[in-house]
Amino acid sequence: MKESVDIRAISIRAVIALVTLLLLGKAFQLQVISDTWRTRADGVGNSQIDQYPARGLMTDRNGKLLTINEPIYQIELTYNTFKRSAETFDTTRFCQLLGINRDYFEEAIPKKWGGKYSPSKPFSFLANVSPAVYATFQENLFQFPGFTATLRSSRNYPHTVAAHLLGYLGEVSQRTIDRGGGRYAGGDYHGISGLEYQYEAALRGEKGRRLVYRDRLGREAGEVLNGALDVDATVGTDLITTIDLRLQEYGEQLMANKIGSIVALEPSTGEVLTMISAPTYNPRSLRIGRDRGREFVQLQRDTLQPLLNRAINGKYPPGSPFKTLVALIAMQTGTLAPDRGIGCAGGFTSGGRVLLGCHNHAYCSNVEDAIAQSCNAYFVTAWLENINRYGSLSPTQGLDEFNHYLYQFGLGSKLGIDFPGEIAGHVPTSEYYNRRFKNEQYWRAIWMRSLAIGQGEYELTALQTANFAAAIANRGHWYTPHLVKQVQEGNDGQLRAVVPERHDIDINREYFETVVRGMRKTVTQGTARVAAIPGIEVCGKTGTIQNSHGDHSSFVAFAPADDPKIAIMVYVENGGFGGTVAAPIASLLIERYLNGEIAENRKWLETRMLEKDMTQRGESTIRVK
């Protein structure tokens, strides 16, 4: 009997030992060898939720909103969590709730991992989910393991203008993430163009964070330490721009069905009042969303290049407005007296031949008259005498000294505007012509006589041309053009003003006064009489730039003559004479800005410009970088 008890005790101990070994083995397998439960445990704990700041807003100079932020949700997916329930996942129900199809569902899940996509970290699955759609989806979120939602703000634009100025947002690339110092993660957005890009660092703000507990289904189950470790987001900086929204809207209306650009500045500050590139597009068409890709492709395929910002990226010959600079430089260097008269026999002649034609007028008695009549013969003569003052066989020194003054006006280099993509244009130098004519014994200035009237190899942006008009309006100085006048920083909203740099030009004020009087005569009795505005002393200069597809129409102006408030440049490709299209548009904008409305006796001109269609006169001939 005792022996039987001993056998039973040994058997019980053996079973207990075996079960203990099995349990220990299984625990070792689960805890050390297998990662199944470790992965699940990671999902039942705490996690960090990024708190996205509101992007800084932009307003015009009068406080009118140019951008707004709208609440949207971004659906994010952690693939490893989703994968464990993939067999029972109700894809049809999921797609119905979010309004997507199965193709999108499958395409949105990466086929390869790496770069900005990790199977163990959330990534953006679906952006721009409206609060209404999310409200229904949220009630069913627990049925879809691996999916979470983040509250974001979507950029939108309350007006349909200023697309080139404002720019648009896009998803960050892996390169941007790598270089962002932790500021960006997959699925974030940043400025791609325009002011959105230029001021990205200020507009984006700084992310905050929330630490929360999650249950095994990924649902929030409370805050870690009652939020003691949370960090508030810092809202983005608001930008008070220099733009006048009413003027921008009006200018874009006037440039409808036309190709070209408009830039208007406040001469006393360098503030950009309006910057227009035509044709343009609706800024809402490129906001973040499912249709943006299709819209972008359509804009890219448009032969009139609506995505091109002609105001700072287009290279235009300045045409006859350049004659004002020829006069200023020649008077300053002493080769042209303000009261000098020069005859015109239908153009500039040499050896009995007309080398550069002109319109019908017999004689210009002084610089003012020559500017008003836009006499080619007068300015070619003045330019040649200036360039050749050291001898016609050695024009290099004269050209270099002439260019020295052009550089003071900001030509041949970037002006430094707070906007991406500005180009320098081109001012030909003696080195340029030495290379061009390297097989010649020498070169002569008369070969490049078209430079005297702003054609030939000169390439200026619309911004540069408007800027030299502002310099003339100021009688010898200009301020770095800029698009932001104040910034409102941080959660406390402290205002900081932007102070532009002043640039002085080494030309006597008396010569500027001579040119100003000539530009005033251009409007009162010269080639731009159509630009006259009752009660406003407009000073201007027309330009007709020769082109094989049809002459371009240009006009620079400022007003009033004394203490000017606006300087403007209008350039219309294939627009014909400067006084035909560009001058009327500029005068209407000046009147609208200074008077607030167009007088009844000039409504006919407004209607004519609004209805004029120049897009059928040929394709864009603009030269781009």
Side-chain angles (χ1 to χ4, degrees):
M1 185 69 177
K2 183 179 180 180
E3 182 178 344
S4 175
V5 171
D6 290 342
I7 292 173
R8 186 179 304 148
I10 292 172
S11 299
I12 291 172
R13 292 190 187 99
V15 169
I16 292 172
L18 179 61
V19 170
T20 300
L21 287 173
L22 289 173
L23 290 174
L24 289 173
K26 185 62 176 178
F28 180 81
Q29 188 265 336
L30 290 174
Q31 295 183 32
V32 179
I33 298 175
S34 173
D35 65 352
T36 300
W37 291 100
R38 187 189 315 117
T39 301
R40 291 190 182 184
D42 289 342
V44 184
N46 62 66
S47 66
Q48 175 177 307
I49 301 176
D50 285 335
Q51 297 294 99
Y52 287 89
R55 191 169 178 85
L57 299 175
M58 298 186 219
T59 70
D60 85 333
R61 65 192 298 109
N62 300 310
K64 297 176 182 176
L65 282 172
L66 300 175
T67 64
I68 57 175
N69 296 323
E70 297 176 339
I72 53 96
Y73 288 87
Q74 177 170 282
I75 307 302
E76 297 175 340
L77 170 61
T78 303
Y79 183 75
N80 280 347
T81 306
F82 160 77
K83 182 175 64 174
R84 291 193 297 270
S85 62
E87 293 183 1
T88 59
F89 192 91
D90 189 346
T91 304
T92 301
R93 175 65 174 159
F94 180 87
C95 292
Q96 287 175 343
L97 288 170
L98 289 177
I100 61 176
N101 56 40
R102 194 179 189 94
D103 289 340
Y104 178 90
F105 179 90
E106 294 176 354
E107 291 172 2
I109 299 176
K111 305 300 184 291
K112 296 181 180 179
W113 299 105
K116 66 178 181 180
Y117 294 110
S118 169
S120 60
K121 295 181 179 179
F123 62 88
S124 176
F125 176 85
L126 180 64
N128 272 21
V129 176
S130 69
V133 171
Y134 176 72
T136 303
F137 178 72
Q138 184 186 31
E139 297 175 358
N140 298 273
L141 185 59
F142 70 93
Q143 301 177 33
F144 309 113
F147 286 91
T148 55
T150 302
L151 178 63
R152 306 286 290 271
S153 64
S154 175
R155 197 60 137 183
N156 206 347
Y157 307 93
H159 307 282
T160 59
V161 299
H164 293 99
L165 277 174
L166 299 174
Y168 57 91
L169 305 182
E171 188 172 351
V172 295
S173 65
Q174 184 60 44
R175 183 180 181 183
T176 301
I177 295 172
D178 294 340
R179 293 183 173 184
R183 293 186 178 90
Y184 297 106
D188 287 355
Y189 301 102
H190 67 148
I192 297 294
S193 69
L195 290 174
E196 296 279 22
Y197 174 86
Q198 182 73 25
Y199 285 91
E200 166 65 18
L203 289 168
R204 70 182 174 223
E206 296 293 335
K207 291 180 184 177
R209 70 165 185 261
R210 286 180 60 226
L211 296 178
V212 299
Y213 293 111
R214 292 191 182 277
D215 62 19
R216 63 184 184 85
L217 295 178
R219 297 174 297 194
E220 288 189 29
E223 295 182 330
V224 175
L225 297 180
N226 294 320
L229 301 179
D230 294 352
V231 176
D232 290 335
T234 302
V235 299
T237 295
D238 290 342
L239 305 181
I240 301 171
T241 74
T242 63
I243 294 300
D244 186 296
L245 177 60
R246 286 188 65 206
L247 195 67
Q248 183 78 22
E249 289 176 330
Y250 188 51
E252 292 194 19
Q253 290 171 12
L254 291 170
M255 289 297 287
N257 298 316
K258 301 171 187 69
I259 306 170
S261 59
I262 298 174
V263 176
L265 305 171
E266 184 177 70
S268 61
T269 62
E271 294 177 2
V272 180
L273 301 174
T274 186
M275 191 163 77
I276 295 168
S277 178
T280 184
Y281 60 95
N282 187 336
R284 298 172 188 167
S285 64
L286 293 186
R287 61 179 299 220
I288 300 297
R290 302 177 201 175
D291 298 329
R292 189 172 78 157
R294 183 180 68 254
E295 295 280 354
F296 193 80
V297 169
Q298 290 178 351
L299 290 171
Q300 281 185 315
R301 291 176 177 173
D302 192 326
T303 57
L304 296 181
Q305 300 176 279
L307 290 175
L308 172 65
N309 188 345
R310 288 168 166 82
I312 62 163
N313 289 139
K315 297 184 288 188
Y316 295 106
S320 290
F322 187 80
K323 294 172 182 175
T324 59
L325 303 186
V326 173
L328 285 167
I329 297 169
M331 287 188 290
Q332 179 65 28
T333 55
T335 60
L336 177 65
D339 59 354
R340 180 180 174 186
I342 297 176
C344 177
F348 173 75
T349 62
S350 179
R353 292 187 302 137
V354 176
L355 299 184
L356 193 63
C358 192
H359 41 275
N360 294 323
H361 59 267
Y363 186 77
C364 293
S365 59
N366 53 40
V367 170
E368 296 175 26
D369 189 31
I371 291 174
Q373 300 303 323
S374 196
C375 180
N376 288 344
Y378 192 101
F379 287 102
V380 172
T381 300
W383 182 82
L384 283 172
E385 290 179 355
N386 187 264
I387 302 301
N388 290 333
R389 66 185 182 275
Y390 300 106
S392 62
L393 297 183
S394 56
T396 56
Q397 185 176 351
L399 182 61
D400 290 342
E401 291 182 8
F402 185 88
N403 286 349
H404 168 71
Y405 288 99
L406 295 184
Y407 301 149
Q408 293 182 50
F409 283 93
L411 307 188
S413 62
K414 298 178 182 180
L415 296 176
I417 188 173
D418 53 341
F419 197 81
E422 182 192 8
I423 62 174
H426 181 237
V427 170
T429 63
S430 59
E431 289 81 3
Y432 170 84
Y433 289 116
N434 287 338
R435 292 193 302 271
R436 179 175 171 181
F437 299 112
K438 63 182 178 180
N439 296 324
E440 303 286 343
Q441 184 178 1
Y442 54 82
W443 54 270
R444 293 188 178 185
I446 197 171
W447 298 351
M448 281 70 72
R449 56 191 173 274
S450 61
L451 294 179
I453 61 171
Q455 298 206 175
E457 290 81 15
Y458 283 129
E459 294 177 339
L460 274 61
T461 65
L463 177 65
Q464 289 173 325
T465 306
N467 189 66
F468 82 62
I472 295 173
N474 289 334
R475 278 67 164 178
H477 67 270
W478 54 278
Y479 297 90
T480 301
H482 54 288
L483 286 156
V484 172
K485 63 184 303 179
Q486 286 182 307
V487 296
Q488 196 163 16
E489 299 174 319
N491 292 349
D492 56 357
Q494 291 292 318
L495 280 173
R496 178 172 60 82
V498 174
V499 181
E501 182 181 358
R502 172 172 166 153
H503 308 265
D504 292 304
I505 299 168
D506 188 21
I507 294 176
N508 295 344
R509 183 183 178 93
E510 62 182 287
Y511 301 133
F512 279 101
E513 294 290 1
T514 298
V515 168
V516 168
R517 288 192 295 271
M519 294 176 72
R520 178 67 184 136
K521 282 186 177 180
T522 301
V523 177
T524 59
Q525 53 189 273
T527 59
R529 280 169 284 186
V530 69
I533 305 171
I536 299 175
E537 289 191 331
V538 178
C539 302
K541 182 69 195 76
T542 55
T544 304
I545 296 89
Q546 294 179 354
N547 171 53
S548 59
H549 295 275
D551 293 340
H552 300 322
S553 177
S554 74
F555 187 66
V556 299
F558 58 87
D562 297 318
D563 191 23
K565 304 299 184 200
I566 182 173
I568 191 167
M569 186 274 186
V570 177
Y571 204 107
V572 181
E573 295 185 37
N574 310 313
F577 293 114
T580 303
V581 181
I585 289 175
S587 73
L588 289 167
L589 284 163
I590 290 171
E591 183 177 9
R592 183 69 172 268
Y593 182 67
L594 296 180
N595 291 349
E597 60 183 3
I598 304 301
E600 285 298 323
N601 63 352
R602 280 170 46 87
K603 288 287 188 180
W604 67 270
L605 185 61
E606 179 184 52
T607 301
R608 180 179 170 188
M609 291 301 105
L610 289 171
E611 294 178 351
K612 202 165 190 65
D613 187 344
M614 308 301 298
T615 58
Q616 305 304 317
R617 297 191 61 178
E619 292 187 358
S620 175
T621 57
I622 189 174
R623 288 175 280 185
V624 297
K625 61 178 180 177

